[in-house]
Amino acid sequence: MRSTPADSAAAARFVIVGIGADGWRGLADISRDELRGAEVIYGAPRQLALLDDGANELAGAREPWRSPMSEHLTEVLANSTGRTHILASGDPMFHGVGASIVARVGADRVQVFPAVSSASLACARLGWDLATTRIVSAVTADPEVVLTEATGGGRLLVLSRDATTPAAVADLLVHNGFGASTLTVLEQLGGPDERIRSASAESWAHPAVDPLNIVAVECVGPRRSRMPGREDHTYAHDGQITKSTIRAVTVAALEPAGPQLLWDIGSGSGSVAIEWLRADERGRAISFEQNADRAERLTGNARRHGVGHRLSLRGAAPDALADASSPDAVFIGGGLDDEVLTAAWNALRPSGRIVVNAVTVENQEILVRWHAERGGTLRRLSVETVAPLGTMTTWRPALPIIQWAATKDDPAQETGLTS
């Protein structure tokens, strides 16, 4: 029986070899043997150049990625037959192309030969415990991602996109209360041109460094937690914001965990979506907001809190819900009515969580009815804050909030009626 191109593609296997800045001489024997037997080796020009010392041992062609690399990679994965060799920096499964290839073709068709990761090398040079060092990537995200982990007394590594990343990180630290932090930039780690230099963020004077670098930060500044309930003044808003205490309860009720997608409907300042994203770096969120000024503030808030790259913005519900990816969790803080709630509920994935906050009596009546039909938890939240009263002080109550929280597969929902 004659094989088809689809059969050949399905039979293709991909061998990914990690390489460090020390090039051919730093490769393990098993990695060298793999490359010696390769018919063609794909990689970035810089990575392929690292094989020069072993060129006389390599029979296969070296094929640089075309730009954009993502399109070329897709072509290679679709059309390859037999064994295809791909060169990657360091550990291909650590923020590398290896994880992307496995996600596309499956682990059974991929073999990985890792080198030492840049994070391991950096911690080895600095004497840091890798297990307790936080790592963020500015390769695909904006440098603001550093703000998700910056906290007094913390240590973090920032994977750089290019030569300008360290200066951008230094500027962000200075403008967010961490100017006294020690910034160490490690360039060409493991290679003959390795260089390490340190300075405080506020005195960093190198607008550009070697493009192959990683940034280490010893944070000096305010202590910032990933826990929800940040102070309201850390968000730009026009009064449409879920207040700190209620926000903490709301995000906890949404139960952020893992690579989930949140819909934040009637997002306002975006504070709930932002703190959902800060709670777990694997999550994503879509904010639905009809007001253009609020949408602009929301985007700025997300960037300032380091999660802008994981939040996307759409228009008003229910129209903008129609073609959005199905959510694992939904929060409705504004624009509540039966149509919006029904659309959100129907889109919610099985086992997904929904949390809705209501202030007005009319909206509270909607939640009472949905609780009766769908189950879940209905609670009334009231917060009082000390405020002046003449020459003395008293408790000033905020408007009470009715909150309905439910899991879509709650057995109590099976007896409910469609609203």
Side-chain angles (χ1 to χ4, degrees), residues 158-172:
V158 184
L159 308 182
S160 290
R161 179 184 304 172
D162 55 33
T164 66
T165 301
V169 169
D171 186 64
L172 283 164

Side-chain angles (χ1 to χ4, degrees), residues 30 33 43 54 97 100 165 177 179 185 207 232 249 251 262 284 304 322 336 341 365 368 378 380 384 389 400:
I30 192 170
D33 288 343
V97 72
S100 176
T165 301
V185 177
D232 296 341
V249 175
V251 175
L262 169 73
R284 297 177 297 117
R304 281 191 297 276
L336 174 64
L341 189 47
E365 289 175 348
V368 170
L378 191 67
R380 189 169 189 259
E384 298 182 2
L389 177 64

Side-chain angles (χ1 to χ4, degrees), residues 190-201:
D193 298 322
E194 178 177 309
R195 177 167 61 177
I196 300 174
R197 42 186 165 176
S198 297
S200 67

Side-chain angles (χ1 to χ4, degrees), residues 240-256:
Q240 294 299 310
I241 182 172
T242 302
K243 299 300 192 293
S244 174
T245 303
I246 302 299
R247 188 187 323 128
V249 175
T250 298
V251 175
L254 285 165
E255 300 179 1

Side-chain angles (χ1 to χ4, degrees), residues 326-340:
S326 297
D328 303 286
V330 173
F331 170 62
I332 304 178
L336 174 64
D337 59 29
D338 272 311
E339 183 181 6
V340 169

